[in-house]
Amino acid sequence: LWAEYIPTADKLTMASQSARAQQIVNSFMRLGQMLQRHQIPFALVDHELLADAQLKGQNSLQVAGNSYRCLLVPAGVELPETATAITNRASERVIQDGDAAMAINVDKVREATGPLYHLTTASPRIAMGQFERDGRDILLLVNVGKEPYNASMVAPQPQKWLRLDPHNSAVTPLSLNAQGEVPLQLEPHQACLLIGGSD
């Protein structure tokens, strides 16, 4: 983006920037919204951290001590040589966004990342964080919207789940529905924790 930046005396808007800068920003925003809308966990990494990344086996890219299944690169981005060296070696793990005809879609990302958990109804108003503690999966879900959210969560394997509601300190065992999914209901601005593998 620095190479494309066009200084302006007026308020900085994308309309004052080059077509390539607009392409990069639009792709970056679209990818981020797609990942968030479909509750696919992600992290942002710059070219300097990427230059120090390591390959671990066939399916893992080690960046700053953390493992990632793939790297999504916004359309129009050209990485410096130091970062390109690792992306060339990890080419099967790199997905480059393209124009409208070649844009990355959520199915391709899910196939590459294989998220352990996903919701049956995608929503831009639901944020989900995934953690692990003492061998148990912990999911933090937040409804940032003004409407109730009703769906279910698909887990990789059946297991017992507990729901913890911080607003009232309730702890509720959850039963799987007929499809083997975890039912989920969140009121507007409500958060909950789901603890997997609970006895």
Side-chain angles (χ1 to χ4, degrees):
L1 280 175
W2 281 118
E4 294 294 319
Y5 173 64
I6 301 173
T8 176
D10 298 324
K11 181 179 178 180
L12 178 63
T13 65
M14 286 311 301
S16 69
Q17 299 302 300
S18 71
R20 182 165 174 243
Q22 293 181 44
Q23 178 190 36
I24 293 171
V25 170
N26 290 337
S27 175
F28 181 85
M29 292 296 293
R30 189 185 66 78
L31 291 176
Q33 290 170 350
M34 178 183 69
L35 294 169
Q36 193 279 328
R37 178 185 296 269
H38 293 276
Q39 290 73 48
I40 297 174
F42 66 96
L44 302 179
V45 61
D46 65 15
H47 62 280
E48 293 177 352
L49 282 174
L50 191 57
D52 292 331
Q54 302 290 324
L55 285 176
K56 186 176 179 182
Q58 294 293 319
N59 299 314
S60 180
L61 190 63
Q62 299 282 322
V63 181
N66 297 300
S67 297
Y68 300 94
R69 292 186 181 94
C70 77
L71 174 70
L72 304 182
V73 181
V77 167
E78 292 180 11
L79 296 168
E81 288 184 15
T82 52
T84 303
I86 185 69
T87 58
N88 286 342
R89 294 201 328 267
S91 58
E92 293 182 6
R93 302 280 92 204
V94 178
I95 305 175
Q96 175 90 42
D97 196 20
D99 57 23
M102 298 293 291
I104 299 173
N105 62 43
V106 70
D107 294 330
K108 187 169 186 178
V109 174
R110 276 211 179 112
E111 181 182 336
T113 60
L116 294 178
Y117 302 98
H118 70 272
L119 303 179
T120 54
T121 305
S123 170
R125 304 287 180 242
I126 302 298
M128 181 168 71
Q130 301 179 26
F131 310 92
E132 185 178 324
R133 176 74 59 86
D134 297 329
R136 298 176 189 266
D137 291 328
I138 302 172
L139 306 179
L140 170 63
L141 294 113
V142 182
N143 180 0
V144 299
K146 298 179 181 179
E147 301 294 331
Y149 177 79
N150 295 290
S152 58
M153 182 189 69
V154 179
Q157 58 188 10
Q159 60 178 315
K160 294 181 179 178
W161 289 88
L162 283 179
R163 174 178 170 143
L164 283 64
D165 287 288
H167 70 285
N168 62 7
S169 301
V171 178
T172 311
L174 296 177
S175 299
L176 303 183
N177 62 22
Q179 291 75 38
E181 300 165 350
V182 182
L184 179 64
Q185 295 179 335
L186 287 169
E187 295 301 318
H189 309 296
Q190 184 180 10
C192 76
L193 290 164
L194 300 182
I195 314 295
S198 303
D199 299 327

